[in-house]
Amino acid sequence: MFDLRQLRYFVEVAETLSFTQAAQRLHISQPPLSQQILALEADLGVRLLDRNRRRVALTEPGRLFLLEAKAILARAESARTVVTEAAAGFTGQLRLAYAVSVSFHRALPETLLRFTQAAPGVSLHLGEMLTGAQYDAILSGQIDVGLLRAHPEGVANARQLNVEVIDHEPLVIALPTRHRLARRESLRMEELANERFVAPPRAHAATLIDRLMLLANKAKFRPNVRQEAQQIPSLLPLVAAGLGLALVPGSLRAVHLDGVAFVPVDDPEAYLLLAVASRVDNTSPVLDSFLRTVREARTALGLA
């Protein structure tokens, strides 16, 4: 049965109609080229070329075979490209989940933009998911990678997880613009001991609520949470309405809502972790490519 090398040799001769020119283009000597063409014709049982000392011409079967040979070589090259891109992580699919508050962090759009440009052949499946649920989904194989807000402390089989920190995002206090503290450059938690707060339920934002309790405990008070909102971004309209203050990730500054000001918290522990997590044994080239892109985006943004 003929091989791809013989097809390439035949195409060169058929297009140049010269064994000499074809041999030069193929960087081989003429005798081996002639031998391969003869072997191809013998295998097919068909004469593809009419040749003598003066000319080389395609036979009618040779003309038809040229079309098929070029199509076969094109498909072979396409197959090579598909395999190579798959091995490099440029084709396939990636199932990605991210915490709701990550939606506003600049690392998410930066990473997705870079990844889709580098690997346009990858099908991305995106969805919002709580941090704890992400760890479960990664371990069970439901998703490939997650952008989440906490280390896997207390997570069963945590050793099966690979977790890389992307950022320690500063936390800020969202408060009404008419509030007496709204124009401060920073706030100490002690100054908020007598304030009312709005916050999401702990079941929806455990990391943020735990951080609020930690900071308040250091300041020797318990937050007076008077109103809840299901999602962190939904706290801002409540703040604008004067229902209370809110501890939120600094990236929510991107949400320009009339009546809301943001003031940094003066405490080294006033931050929210942003990390990327995946299974240690997930050897997908697509995942490797995505993790490289995350690191590139982190460096470009000057994070962590």
Side-chain angles (χ1 to χ4, degrees), residues 4-302:
L4 293 180
R5 181 182 59 173
Q6 290 176 324
L7 294 184
R8 284 193 290 270
Y9 286 2
F10 169 72
V11 168
E12 286 295 339
V13 174
E15 290 188 334
T16 61
L17 294 179
S18 168
F19 279 84
T20 301
Q21 291 183 36
Q24 291 173 348
R25 290 172 62 170
L26 292 166
H27 304 291
I28 62 174
S29 61
Q30 188 170 332
L33 174 59
S34 297
Q35 291 169 7
Q36 290 297 323
I37 297 299
L38 288 172
L40 176 61
E41 290 178 321
D43 184 63
L44 293 172
V46 175
R47 190 178 50 170
L48 302 173
L49 299 164
D50 281 330
R51 59 268 206 193
N52 55 41
R53 291 183 178 181
R54 295 184 177 180
R55 62 187 288 273
V56 175
L58 282 168
T59 64
E60 181 59 18
R63 186 184 65 79
L64 296 175
F65 189 71
L66 174 61
L67 299 176
E68 294 298 326
K70 292 174 72 173
I72 291 171
L73 290 173
R75 287 197 295 272
E77 186 59 33
S78 176
R80 179 194 297 273
T81 300
V82 168
V83 171
T84 302
E85 291 188 348
F90 295 149
T91 60
Q93 71 167 0
L94 184 77
R95 298 163 299 171
L96 167 67
Y98 53 91
V100 174
S101 63
V102 177
S103 303
F104 299 93
H105 195 290
R106 54 188 180 146
L108 180 61
E110 179 70 18
T111 298
L112 293 180
L113 176 61
R114 287 171 174 266
F115 186 68
T116 53
Q117 289 177 339
V122 172
S123 176
L124 274 174
H125 301 274
L126 307 174
E128 294 179 347
M129 190 179 294
L130 299 176
T131 291
Q134 285 190 51
Y135 279 127
D136 291 340
I138 292 170
L139 288 168
S140 66
Q142 296 177 38
I143 62 173
D144 301 301
V145 63
L147 294 172
L148 31 72
R149 287 299 197 174
H151 286 296
E153 298 173 358
V155 175
N157 301 317
R159 292 184 178 180
Q160 298 178 17
L161 294 164
N162 174 52
V163 180
E164 297 182 44
V165 174
I166 301 173
D167 190 23
H168 292 83
E169 182 180 359
L171 290 168
V172 298
I173 296 294
L175 63 172
T177 52
R178 59 184 178 277
H179 193 282
R180 59 186 176 82
L181 300 174
R183 296 189 178 182
R184 294 278 295 276
E185 292 187 1
S186 65
L187 290 170
R188 291 177 288 105
M189 287 298 291
E190 291 87 344
E191 299 177 85
L192 308 178
N194 297 319
E195 298 288 342
R196 294 179 299 175
F197 283 82
V198 294
R202 189 178 185 282
H204 290 187
T207 307
L208 180 65
I209 296 302
D210 289 348
R211 189 61 51 164
L212 172 60
M213 299 306 293
L214 170 67
L215 295 172
N217 185 59
K218 287 176 62 178
K220 297 180 169 41
F221 74 92
R222 183 175 182 80
N224 178 16
V225 179
R226 299 294 296 273
Q227 190 69 43
E228 290 186 338
Q230 296 301 304
Q231 303 289 353
I232 294 175
S234 302
L235 297 172
L236 299 186
L238 304 184
V239 171
L243 299 181
L245 312 186
L247 182 72
V248 298
S251 54
L252 255 69
R253 293 173 184 264
V255 181
H256 300 289
L257 184 65
D258 289 342
V260 177
F262 299 94
V263 181
V265 179
D266 185 10
D267 191 300
E269 294 188 277
Y271 68 85
L272 207 57
L273 193 73
L274 175 58
V276 59
S278 58
R279 279 184 67 108
V280 171
D281 60 359
N282 188 338
T283 59
S284 163
V286 174
L287 175 61
D288 287 343
S289 178
F290 181 78
L291 294 178
R292 286 196 302 272
T293 304
V294 170
R295 297 180 195 114
E296 291 169 1
R298 177 181 62 194
T299 300
L301 295 173

